[in-house]
């Protein structure tokens, strides 16, 4: 039986994660992410590397001032200037990193083993004299001589290091090797040891879990596995592997994993691959009729965990792989019931669309269902005109003219941007008779270039009814308005009528 101790998490999203090429966070963005990491329950937040720049120090100081529960740490090389800058930021700890492989010692530092060991000892002592918690980290440890590494660790502990860290800097560890290394190190050292993995060969999570099994007390992780090159170990993966495969509950609030993932992706400008485990768009999305049929019987048939555990929802999508079961489920969600013959025809038409490479939207489903079921509906809300004013200094303002049944209504609205202003004006146009809520808004480019066609998706709700609608065109404002008007019509039609009385 595999036994784990109390697993700690050292999150380096704001340091190693921010070293992702092209990523640079403003201080307020660092604070926003740090507060979410703290709510998740991580033990240590590596807020940056204080030596980097004045702007980086400003960000680290801003995180420190938040008074979070987590320990706030700065990365530092074994140089007095690095530690001094960390002290200036008033962090709780330093992640003190020293090269330990002969490749790094000889080629990068141009020094010898004993000199490097003494550098580590001197800086541990210096940091401890100034009141810092010290985590002494061996860079490129996976390619180092393990006897030398152990001797450096022991010297660091004797100098006062509180924790140690083993860095697989270029991702060359193997899980079985990792387990053996940590079994030996954890039993022979007088300080807890961390594992810090990179994902160059796709083994970061496997190696991290193997290290924890072998006796590592703490895992270095990032949200979404972001980081230099192929990235670091993903926090969400380690947490859910421990929970679902080993029965180990950590202090991490798992329901916050997906919201935090989306926040980091947005602020850092790094979109997630659709097939990214747990947090990618497709992770809990099902199209195959066989899979959907199984899910109806028991969700565990095609899902290892329920999406709600990490703050997500299951999605059933329609396309060429859809079966009658998934089509019937989708119809029920929009309040429609079909006979077996009608269901066969709707399914056939959906597959035809899928075969043409088209994404089958809720609007497509409604159109097909209306045709097959003989439902004829006329839009009760018609957009007559929409004018938007926006500028560098002016508050974005929009005015809309709509026809609701036979009544002409003119409304205006303001917003944070031109799209927000237009949608607020539309919402006001029906406010007296329908309380509509915009739950989700998404924009995708269908074509490239400055004249790209964009597709806007909205999810809207009224009371307990929830629908999706879309709009498309070269103008993002009008595509958004088109999607919103379509959504308003569908919600109002489903509630059977909008009164003329205002």
């Amino acid at each position: 039986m595999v036994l784990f101790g109390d697993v700690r998490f050292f999150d380096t999203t704001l340091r190693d994660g921010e070293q992702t090429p092209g990523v640079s966070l403003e201080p307020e963005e660092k604070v926003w992410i740090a507060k979410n990491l703290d709510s998740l329950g991580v033990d240590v937040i590596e807020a940056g590397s204080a030596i980097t720049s004045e702007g980086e120090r400003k960000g680290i100081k801003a995180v420190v001032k938040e008074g979070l529960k987590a320990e706030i740490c700065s990365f530092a090389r074994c140089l007095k200037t690095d530690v001094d800058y960390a002290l200036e930021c008033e962090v709780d700890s330093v992640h003190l990193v020293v090269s330990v492989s002969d490749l790094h010692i000889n080629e990068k530092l141009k020094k010898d083993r004993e000199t490097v060991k003494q550098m580590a000892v001197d800086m541990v002592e210096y940091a401890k004299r100034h009141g810092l918690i010290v985590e002494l980290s061996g860079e490129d440890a996976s390619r180092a001589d393990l006897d030398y590494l152990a001797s450096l660790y022991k010297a660091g502990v004797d100098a006062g290091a509180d924790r140690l860290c083993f860095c697989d800097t270029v991702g060359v560890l193997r899980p079985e090797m990792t387990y053996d290394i940590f079994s030996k190190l954890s039993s022979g050292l007088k300080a807890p040891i961390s594992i810090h993995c990179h994902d160059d060969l796709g083994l970061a999570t496997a190696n991290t879990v193997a290290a924890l099994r072998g006796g590592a007390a703490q895992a270095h992780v990032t949200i979404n596995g972001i980081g230099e090159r192929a990235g670091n170990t993903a926090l969400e993966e380690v947490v859910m592997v421990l929970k679902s495969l080993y029965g180990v509950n950590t202090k991490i609030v798992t329901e916050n994993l997906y919201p935090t993932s989306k926040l980091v992706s947005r602020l850092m400008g790094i979109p997630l691959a659709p097939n990214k485990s747990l947090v990618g768009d497709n992770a809990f999305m099902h199209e195959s009729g066989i899979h959907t049929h199984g899910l109806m019987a028991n969700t565990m048939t095609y899902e290892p965990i329920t999406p709600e555990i990490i703050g997500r929802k299951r999605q059933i999508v329609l396309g060429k792989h859809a079966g009658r079961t998934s089509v019937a489920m989708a119809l029920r969600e929009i309040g429609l019931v079909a006979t077996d013959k009608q269901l066969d025809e709707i399914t056939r038409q959906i597959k035809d669309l899928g075969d043409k490479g088209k994404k089958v939207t809720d609007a497509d489903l409604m159109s097909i269902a209306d045709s097959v079921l003989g439902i004829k509906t006329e839009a009760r809300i018609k957009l007559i005109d929409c004018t938007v004013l926006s500028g560098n200094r002016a508050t974005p303002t929009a005015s809309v003219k709509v026809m609701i049944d036979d009544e002409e209504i003119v409304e205006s609205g303001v917003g944070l941007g031109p799209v927000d202003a237009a949608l607020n004006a539309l919402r006001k146009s029906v406010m007296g008779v329908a309380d509509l809520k915009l739950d989700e808004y998404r924009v995708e480019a269908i074509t490239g270039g400055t004249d790209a066609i964009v597709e806007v998706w909205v999810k809207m709700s009224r009371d307990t009814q929830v629908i999706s609608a879309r709009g498309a065109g070269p103008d993002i404002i009008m595509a958004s308005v088109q999607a919103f008007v379509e959504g308003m019509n569908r919600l109002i039609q489903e509630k059977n009528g909008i009164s003329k009385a205002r």
Side-chain angles (χ1 to χ4, degrees):
M1 182 180 179
V2 178
L3 296 177
F4 290 83
D6 292 330
V7 178
R8 287 169 50 93
F9 288 96
F10 180 112
D11 189 280
T12 182
T13 299
L14 296 178
R15 198 274 300 175
D16 224 339
E18 197 188 3
Q19 289 175 198
T20 300
V23 174
S24 180
L25 296 171
E26 296 290 332
E28 57 269 24
E29 293 173 326
K30 273 190 181 272
V31 168
W32 197 350
I33 291 174
K35 290 168 72 173
N36 277 267
L37 293 173
D38 197 50
S39 296
L40 266 178
V42 302
D43 298 279
V44 184
I45 297 173
E46 190 173 31
S49 178
I51 189 67
T52 301
S53 68
E54 182 59 37
E56 180 78 341
R57 289 189 287 278
K58 184 178 179 181
I60 295 171
K61 290 174 183 177
V63 172
V64 170
K65 287 179 181 177
E66 287 297 312
L68 304 176
K69 297 187 294 294
E71 174 188 313
I72 308 302
C73 178
S74 172
F75 176 93
R77 297 166 298 175
C78 280
L79 298 173
K80 184 175 179 294
T81 51
D82 285 39
V83 177
D84 286 342
Y85 274 124
L87 288 166
E88 178 190 317
C89 294
E90 299 183 332
V91 294
D92 302 306
S93 62
V94 283
H95 177 204
L96 199 59
V97 180
V98 61
S99 294
V100 292
S101 70
D102 288 334
L103 175 64
H104 276 224
I105 291 171
N106 298 329
E107 301 298 326
K108 188 178 84 168
L109 299 182
K110 308 296 185 184
K111 301 183 185 299
D112 59 66
R113 287 182 175 186
E114 288 307 310
T115 300
V116 169
K117 184 190 294 184
Q118 190 59 50
M119 287 171 56
V121 168
D122 290 345
M123 282 306 103
V124 169
E125 291 177 341
Y126 182 75
K128 290 301 294 181
R129 283 201 304 271
H130 288 80
L132 291 169
I133 299 167
V134 175
E135 180 157 334
L136 178 61
S137 197
E139 184 180 20
D140 205 28
S142 48
R143 295 189 293 187
D145 176 77
L146 291 182
D147 289 335
Y148 170 69
L149 178 64
S151 70
L152 184 144
Y153 280 156
K154 288 176 181 176
V157 173
D158 290 341
D162 301 278
R163 302 189 297 261
L164 304 168
C165 180
F166 183 107
C167 293
D168 184 22
T169 302
V170 292
V172 295
L173 280 176
R174 301 186 306 275
E176 64 276 11
M177 179 173 83
T178 305
Y179 177 82
D180 291 340
I181 290 171
F182 276 82
S183 295
K184 294 174 184 176
L185 288 177
S186 61
S187 62
L189 297 169
K190 296 180 181 179
I193 186 166
S194 305
I195 176 65
H196 179 111
C197 289
H198 283 260
D199 204 34
D200 296 79
L201 295 174
L203 291 172
T205 295
N207 285 324
T208 297
V209 173
L212 293 170
R213 287 182 59 232
Q218 181 173 260
H220 283 214
V221 292
T222 63
I223 297 295
N224 301 332
I226 59 170
E228 292 192 80
R229 304 184 314 279
N232 292 47
T233 305
L235 168 65
E236 63 277 3
E237 292 177 8
V238 176
V239 169
M240 295 315 300
V241 165
L242 293 178
K243 182 179 180 66
S244 61
L245 301 184
Y246 293 97
V248 177
N249 289 314
T250 65
K251 293 184 294 183
I252 300 299
V253 182
T254 61
E255 291 81 6
N256 291 346
L257 285 171
Y258 184 61
T260 304
S261 163
K262 297 295 286 184
L263 174 70
V264 170
S265 175
R266 181 166 61 84
L267 292 183
M268 290 194 170
I270 305 175
L272 294 172
N275 63 332
K276 167 72 174 71
S277 60
L278 298 169
V279 292
D281 283 349
N282 293 352
F284 295 95
M285 186 178 288
H286 306 272
E287 180 180 325
S288 166
I290 295 172
H291 284 208
T292 306
H293 186 269
L295 287 168
M296 288 189 68
N298 186 328
T299 59
M300 294 297 287
T301 53
Y302 289 103
E303 290 176 349
I305 63 172
T306 58
E308 291 78 12
I309 290 176
I310 61 168
R312 298 201 65 172
K313 292 183 179 179
R314 180 179 300 106
Q315 289 180 276
I316 305 296
V317 299
L318 301 177
K320 71 177 184 179
H321 301 107
R324 294 173 81 255
T325 301
S326 52
V327 175
M329 287 175 64
L331 289 173
R332 280 200 297 274
E333 288 179 1
I334 59 176
L336 298 176
V337 178
T339 65
D340 288 344
K341 186 176 180 180
Q342 290 169 332
L343 186 58
D344 287 338
E345 177 58 21
I346 294 170
T347 303
R348 184 192 67 76
Q349 292 192 34
I350 286 171
K351 285 179 176 288
D352 285 346
L353 282 177
D355 282 335
K356 294 181 175 67
K358 193 177 188 306
K359 181 189 292 183
V360 181
T361 67
D362 280 5
D364 295 322
L365 175 63
M366 280 289 291
S367 177
I368 292 170
D370 287 352
S371 174
V372 173
L373 301 178
I375 301 171
K376 296 191 179 296
T377 59
E378 183 178 350
R380 305 190 67 181
I381 302 174
K382 296 178 182 178
L383 179 69
I384 306 302
D385 184 52
C386 176
T387 303
V388 180
L389 298 175
S390 183
N392 289 334
R393 298 182 180 179
T395 300
T397 306
S399 63
V400 297
K401 181 189 292 184
V402 297
M403 290 290 294
I404 300 179
D405 291 332
D406 297 324
E407 182 180 0
E408 184 180 286
I409 297 168
V410 177
E411 280 288 359
S412 63
V414 297
L416 298 176
V419 171
D420 189 39
L423 300 191
N424 284 338
L426 284 169
R427 190 184 287 108
K428 286 174 66 177
S429 70
V430 294
M431 189 175 292
V433 285
D435 182 17
L436 306 180
K437 180 182 177 186
L438 178 63
D439 298 314
E440 190 175 317
Y441 174 88
R442 187 172 82 247
V443 179
E444 296 178 0
I446 301 175
T447 60
T450 57
D451 59 346
I453 298 295
V454 296
E455 185 174 53
V456 175
W457 288 81
V458 295
K459 181 181 287 186
M460 301 171 64
S461 59
R462 182 186 183 196
D463 298 330
T464 59
Q465 188 70 32
V466 180
I467 59 94
S468 296
R470 67 180 284 276
D475 186 329
I476 189 173
I477 299 173
M478 292 312 299
S480 302
V481 168
Q482 178 187 340
F484 204 81
V485 169
E486 179 188 320
M488 289 195 304
N489 270 305
R490 288 189 46 201
L491 283 172
I492 291 169
Q493 287 164 3
E494 299 208 10
K495 285 294 183 180
N496 192 26
I498 212 172
S499 170
K500 293 183 182 179
R502 286 179 62 85

